Amino acid sequence: QVQLVESGGGLVQAGGSLRLSCAASGRAFNSDVMGWLRQAPGKERESVASIWWSTGSTSYRDSVKGRFTISRDNAKNTVYLQMNSLKPEDTAVYYCAARTVGSLKYNYWGQGTQVTVSS
């Protein structure tokens, strides 16, 4: 059984920073890509950033480029999302997700952590 446990959400003023963490565990954990996604009230879930375990290659949605940084610690099976210069429109529930080798989509999800940015 694979588990993804997120932490680090909270309330912050616009312009502030937060760091999200996602710790992966489980005997069968065999992921090639990890991602952070978010869902705001009344909106569809959207991808924020992703990272490959092996190469560290990253990708970001345009609206967070230059403000958010995804990183990983392979030894700890942990992925991070450093969020700087936060804006009210970043307010959402943030989910960590894992794509296992051979899968075409994310197939493991964390429970989500709320990020609220006040203006």
Side-chain angles (χ1 to χ4, degrees):
Q1 183 72 14
V2 174
Q3 286 188 317
L4 302 178
V5 179
E6 300 130 337
S7 60
L11 172 65
V12 65
Q13 288 187 334
S17 298
L18 284 173
R19 188 194 195 206
L20 305 182
S21 299
C22 173
S25 62
R27 288 178 53 194
F29 185 68
N30 183 19
S31 166
D32 55 2
V33 178
M34 296 289 292
W36 287 98
L37 299 90
R38 67 187 181 188
Q39 187 165 21
K43 296 187 177 181
E44 293 189 355
R45 188 165 53 195
E46 61 186 20
S47 178
V48 176
S50 62
I51 188 167
W52 287 78
W53 283 112
S54 57
T55 64
S57 178
T58 60
S59 64
Y60 300 90
R61 70 179 301 106
D62 287 346
S63 62
V64 307
K65 286 180 180 178
R67 300 189 297 122
F68 290 11
T69 302
I70 188 171
S71 61
R72 92 281 192 223
D73 184 331
N74 293 55
K76 296 181 179 179
N77 270 1
T78 300
V79 175
Y80 306 95
L81 185 68
Q82 177 67 44
M83 305 185 293
N84 299 328
S85 301
L86 282 160
K87 304 175 180 180
E89 50 264 44
D90 294 318
T91 295
V93 177
Y94 283 70
Y95 297 92
C96 172
R99 191 184 79 181
T100 53
V101 175
S103 176
L104 297 179
K105 60 181 181 180
Y106 292 118
N107 48 352
Y108 288 102
W109 295 84
Q111 79 283 3
T113 185
Q114 177 70 46
V115 170
T116 303
V117 184
S118 62
S119 56

